[in-house]
Amino acid sequence: MITLVEGIKEKLSEILSRYSGEKSDLIPILQEAQDGFGYLPGEAMQEIAKFLRMPDSVVYGVATFYTQFKLAPGGKRKIRVCVGAGCHVCGGARILREVEKQLGIKPGETTDDLEHSLETVACSGSCALAPVLVVDGSVYGRMTATRVGEILEETK
Amino acid sequence: MSFKTFDETRSRAISEWEALEHSDKPRILVSNATCGQAAGALAVVEAINSELARHNIEAIVAQVGCIGLCYAGPLVNIIKPNRPRICYGNITPEIIPKLIEDYIINDNPRSDLALGTIGDGNIDGIPKLFELPMLKPQVRIVLRNCGFVDPENINHYIANGGYGSLVKALGMTPEKIIEEVKKSGLRGRGGGIGFPTGLKWELCRKSPGTVKYLICNAHEGDPGTFVDRTLLESDPHTVVEGMLIAAYAIGASEGYIYIGDEYPLAAERVRVALKQARECGLLGDDILGSGFSFNVEIRRGAGAFVSGEETALIESIERGRGVPRIRPPYPVYHGLWGKPTNVNNVETLANAPSIIEKGGDWYAGIGTEGSKGTKLFSLSGNIAYTGVAEVPFGLPLRRLVEDIGGGIANGRKLKALHPGGAMLSLIPASLVDQPIDFEGLASIGSGVGSGGMIVIDESACLVDVAYMLMSFAYSESCGKCSIGRLGTKQMLGILKDATNGKGQPEDMDLLTELSGSLALGSFCPLCGGAADPVVSLLNYFRDELEAHIKEHHCPAGVCQESV
């Protein structure tokens, strides 16, 4: 446990060294921390609060306000199914059901082997190719139930 | 850097562009925006490179942005010396070997795979691309470079007249620029009421204080809207130049571009564009020796729809939680860090270079009495040709759907249109002859919106659609005002019951009442408009709603499926 905290501190101080400590640095710092750790460890948020001279609760408030920030580590692969209006009228719900079925998890959950986590996204802006699936930021368009299986297999 | 060094930069850019245009090697251009990539463009580029290597063919392979025909992605354009450019659609890596062999080696243009030609000259059996119904009604001002230039090469932009408007603007007084923009009739394109842009700039300029800010709102969180993404990924310099012109006009030396977290490619292309503009002396201190300085910082959204509202966006930059502030005071008086701040949407700013180049009168000659110029729309849903189009105001919705969008896919009938964002009313098929215009669409209870246009066919259940839109509003409500937080929750519950066959007769009245309360009592437009889709159901699709609530029956047969 101590080594984990040390590792986080080290990485974090490298991130923080690029900032002057203005209150407006909070989101950019959280974004970099999340990129670095894959989520926001509690220790990291406390360090950030200290650095920005603000209460822990403010950092926690911001971290939980935005969907981008995660408080727990997710799976190796982040699967996001678009449930925006454009995808919805093109069968987005069916795609979500298929992914849920194949991974055996619901949105917000991670598989037991820590391979995949599943989320829904309100719109990924690729509605022209609806319905879409996003794997680690790469958009896959014109999704069908069959292709869901192929893509999940490919990304294992 | 001075105006003279810009002339030199421009000459070099033109030489580079001309050399490409008159190259004796074939050129292969692949549309490489997110939509193209989602359709498989990167694998296509790989296949092209390996095929060219296999045949030992010398060709120029490059990326361009999206021309807007996303339905046919990935698009591959082949330009052989002295031949018009041929645009091929739905290209897969498997087709590439044959296409290269047939056209590049054996000079068979494969008209069966071609969508159309661009440029002088004809090729038998292939229509002119811009004569096709999906492109002919378009007037491309903002999209003029999209699909033609490499978005990561500033020289392509400069060679096509880019940054010429900035040079022209720096020779004008800020007041004169504002006058031109006022004359143009340009109105905000971000999904609001369409506030006059020139007036906003003027209010910000006249607002007391020496420190002012310009913010380009590229949050674009509306489901179904992807016009700003397309523009930023395909021609980011048009937006950067628009920002420079606006900053000079209002007297700002610092600015931000706020890009949503769903748009990594757009953010990357903007980053490259800003870097290149800085290197060319077009951004930074003492731009082209004019004494005008402007620096831009990219801020990334973190996934909260409400942060696209201008005061919430400012709050998000300053402090973190992107919750809206009370207006007035408006940001032009009291914005970022209390300073006068002009927040404009991407598309609004992208119009500025052309207005400065050609004049406000020219721009005002396009469109209708109250809505001047063009509007970008992203077409999605149950429509044949999904993609992005730029149309003059005044064009009837029907032409957007039937000509540009190619009508409803799979032969079904149109049921409704949903202009983006999520907080606008559905437009019934019976009103599809309505011209696109701020006041016109407001008069039927809807609006121009941010440019999303989701086409819904008769197979859809609109109660189900309204439920989905309300769940978005509910989950994105920031919680600041109680009517927003609780009103959306109550309406969501009623709609859920309706789609589950548990509706109560009094729910009709409750929906009406809650819709009114949300519209009147919400703190910001997010929840203020959250009930609008339901209001359009009450007004135009009452039978369908009553069938769910009173008869526990879904006429479209959708809700039973999901229960």
Side-chain angles (χ1 to χ4, degrees):
Chain A
M1 192 65 199
I2 289 163
T3 49
L4 179 70
V5 176
E6 287 306 308
I8 287 172
K9 269 196 174 160
E10 215 165 77
K11 207 167 189 175
L12 194 62
S13 55
E14 188 229 311
I15 293 171
L16 296 178
S17 68
R18 291 193 289 274
Y19 291 88
S20 59
E22 301 287 329
K23 302 242 178 303
S24 62
D25 291 337
L26 177 55
I27 290 183
I29 290 173
L30 290 177
Q31 285 170 329
E32 278 204 54
Q34 163 123 340
D35 278 351
F37 305 122
Y39 73 109
L40 294 173
E43 301 94 314
M45 287 195 284
Q46 283 170 330
E47 264 323 290
I48 293 167
K50 219 182 284 170
F51 176 71
L52 296 175
R53 297 176 310 281
M54 51 175 69
D56 293 358
S57 60
V58 171
V59 176
Y60 184 78
V62 171
T64 50
F65 184 79
Y66 294 98
T67 54
Q68 186 188 20
F69 300 124
K70 306 289 168 220
L71 302 187
K76 259 188 247 158
R77 298 282 183 174
K78 309 226 166 5
I79 314 284
R80 297 205 274 183
V81 181
C82 188
V83 293
C87 285
H88 184 82
V89 299
C90 293
R94 275 201 301 278
I95 301 303
L96 179 61
R97 278 204 295 275
E98 186 60 31
V99 178
E100 284 175 353
K101 198 176 91 192
Q102 297 211 12
L103 293 179
I105 50 174
K106 293 276 176 199
E109 297 176 351
T110 300
T111 52
D112 290 338
D113 60 2
L114 297 179
E115 280 295 318
H116 294 98
S117 20
L118 175 60
E119 282 171 34
T120 56
V121 51
C123 182
S124 58
S126 293
C127 326
L129 298 169
V132 307
L133 186 71
V134 187
V135 182
D136 293 337
S138 299
V139 182
Y140 293 80
R142 297 174 186 139
M143 223 16 69
T144 59
T146 333
R147 285 201 61 212
V148 166
E150 289 167 14
I151 288 164
L152 292 180
E153 195 51 47
E154 260 174 50
T155 57
K156 257 191 184 148
Chain B
M1 290 289 176
S2 65
F3 288 107
K4 200 165 153 269
T5 51
F6 179 69
D7 286 341
E8 286 159 16
T9 308
R10 178 151 52 191
S11 308
R12 272 199 309 277
I14 292 172
S15 311
E16 182 186 324
W17 180 260
E18 295 278 309
L20 269 181
E21 291 285 286
H22 300 116
S23 170
D24 54 5
K25 293 175 197 153
R27 280 195 295 150
I28 305 177
L29 309 177
V30 181
S31 284
N32 188 15
T34 298
C35 50
Q37 292 187 1
L42 297 177
V44 167
V45 173
E46 229 170 84
I48 291 170
N49 284 327
S50 79
E51 253 338 86
L52 291 173
R54 197 167 69 85
H55 289 289
N56 222 355
I57 299 169
E58 271 195 57
I60 300 166
V61 182
Q63 64 170 359
V64 288
C66 172
I67 202 166
L69 307 175
C70 310
Y71 73 96
L75 292 178
V76 171
N77 301 272
I78 302 183
I79 310 156
K80 290 183 81 173
N82 305 312
R83 302 287 290 273
R85 162 175 161 173
I86 304 178
C87 180
Y88 295 98
N90 296 306
I91 297 301
T92 59
E94 293 72 38
I95 299 177
I96 289 296
K98 197 80 181 98
L99 180 62
I100 286 181
E101 189 187 323
D102 286 349
Y103 188 37
I104 305 234
I105 300 173
N106 296 323
D107 212 31
N108 164 12
R110 289 300 302 267
S111 55
D112 57 320
L113 297 173
L115 293 173
T117 63
I118 300 170
D120 296 335
N122 291 301
I123 291 179
D124 273 352
I126 306 180
K128 293 264 190 198
L129 191 69
F130 279 83
E131 292 297 317
L132 293 175
M134 58 265 204
L135 282 159
K136 205 168 180 198
Q138 297 198 33
V139 174
R140 293 167 75 99
I141 297 170
V142 170
L143 295 182
R144 67 194 180 286
N145 289 323
C146 294
F148 291 91
V149 300
D150 178 346
E152 297 186 41
N153 186 335
I154 192 173
N155 284 345
H156 286 195
Y157 182 68
I158 293 176
N160 286 282
Y163 291 106
S165 298
L166 171 68
V167 170
K168 187 175 174 186
L170 292 175
M172 294 160 72
T173 61
E175 288 75 16
K176 178 77 183 116
I177 292 170
I178 289 169
E179 194 191 310
E180 281 306 317
V181 176
K182 282 171 92 174
K183 219 190 282 176
S184 75
L186 179 66
R187 296 170 66 172
R189 303 287 194 250
I193 53 162
F195 191 83
T197 306
L199 178 60
K200 199 178 201 178
W201 291 11
E202 184 175 55
L203 292 171
C204 193
R205 171 153 199 90
K206 287 187 174 163
S207 196
T210 47
V211 178
K212 289 172 190 180
Y213 294 101
L214 175 85
I215 297 176
C216 172
N217 186 349
H219 191 274
E220 197 169 65
D222 289 331
T225 309
F226 48 100
V227 296
D228 295 344
R229 173 184 66 66
T230 302
L231 187 53
L232 290 170
E233 289 176 355
S234 306
D235 189 21
H237 284 287
T238 289
V239 182
V240 174
E241 189 178 7
M243 287 180 74
L244 279 156
I245 293 167
Y248 176 70
I250 64 168
S253 57
E254 273 181 69
Y256 290 88
I257 176 162
Y258 193 96
I259 307 175
D261 74 319
E262 300 301 336
Y263 288 180
L265 185 63
E268 174 57 18
R269 294 218 166 129
V270 170
R271 192 190 63 75
V272 171
L274 293 175
K275 181 170 169 276
Q276 292 173 343
R278 241 175 258 127
E279 285 163 0
C280 291
L282 296 162
L283 191 69
D285 295 334
D286 192 17
I287 293 166
L288 301 176
S290 65
F292 164 62
S293 300
F294 185 59
N295 287 292
V296 179
E297 194 180 310
I298 299 175
R299 277 302 180 106
R300 296 298 308 278
F305 176 70
V306 69
S307 301
E309 193 277 336
E310 61 176 11
T311 61
L313 191 157
I314 288 170
E315 190 75 10
S316 158
I317 293 178
E318 278 184 19
R319 281 202 277 241
R321 270 174 82 98
V323 290
R325 295 175 179 172
I326 193 92
R327 294 186 308 179
Y330 289 93
V332 289
Y333 302 112
H334 187 94
L336 190 62
W337 291 300
K339 308 292 182 199
T341 302
N342 180 65
V343 187
N344 284 138
N345 157 269
V346 169
E347 184 188 341
T348 313
L349 289 166
N351 275 292
S354 296
I355 291 171
I356 295 304
E357 182 196 343
K358 296 177 181 165
D361 287 330
W362 161 80
Y363 194 83
I366 304 160
T368 64
E369 185 60 36
S371 307
K372 302 297 188 189
T374 59
K375 177 76 194 95
L376 296 181
F377 282 99
S378 51
L379 292 166
S380 68
N382 311 126
I383 193 164
Y385 306 145
T386 55
V388 176
E390 182 173 2
V391 300
F393 276 109
L395 189 85
L397 285 167
R398 183 188 290 283
R399 293 201 63 200
L400 183 63
V401 176
E402 290 180 2
D403 295 346
I404 296 174
I408 307 297
N410 58 42
R412 294 197 182 106
K413 280 203 195 99
L414 175 70
K415 186 166 187 177
L417 296 174
H418 187 229
M423 318 305 168
L424 276 174
S425 290
L426 298 160
I427 299 172
S430 58
L431 293 174
V432 76
D433 286 310
Q434 190 73 32
I436 296 162
D437 165 279
F438 281 104
E439 276 70 33
L441 293 183
S443 74
I444 55 167
S446 193
V448 170
S450 51
M453 188 57 77
I454 300 168
V455 178
I456 303 169
D457 75 23
E458 58 189 348
S459 69
C461 165
L462 297 184
V463 180
D464 169 63
V465 169
Y467 169 65
M468 190 267 306
L469 293 171
M470 188 57 76
S471 50
F472 175 73
Y474 166 66
S475 66
E476 292 299 329
S477 156
C478 70
K480 178 162 178 155
C481 67
S482 44
I483 183 68
R485 189 176 64 241
L486 301 173
T488 52
K489 187 177 164 73
Q490 292 307 320
M491 289 192 80
L492 185 67
I494 296 171
L495 290 170
K496 186 172 188 180
D497 285 349
T499 56
N500 279 338
K502 294 176 188 152
Q504 303 292 324
E506 63 270 22
D507 286 352
M508 291 296 289
D509 291 339
L510 264 176
L511 283 177
T512 310
E513 201 187 321
L514 281 165
S515 300
S517 307
L518 269 168
L520 278 174
S522 295
F523 190 86
C524 86
L526 190 159
C527 290
D532 283 14
V534 175
V535 173
S536 61
L537 252 57
L538 290 162
N539 287 339
Y540 300 119
F541 301 97
R542 208 176 174 87
D543 292 350
E544 192 168 345
L545 187 58
E546 275 183 336
H548 282 79
I549 289 178
K550 295 185 177 164
E551 294 154 35
H552 301 167
H553 164 66
C554 172
V558 171
C559 294
Q560 279 88 341
E561 193 199 14
S562 58
V563 208

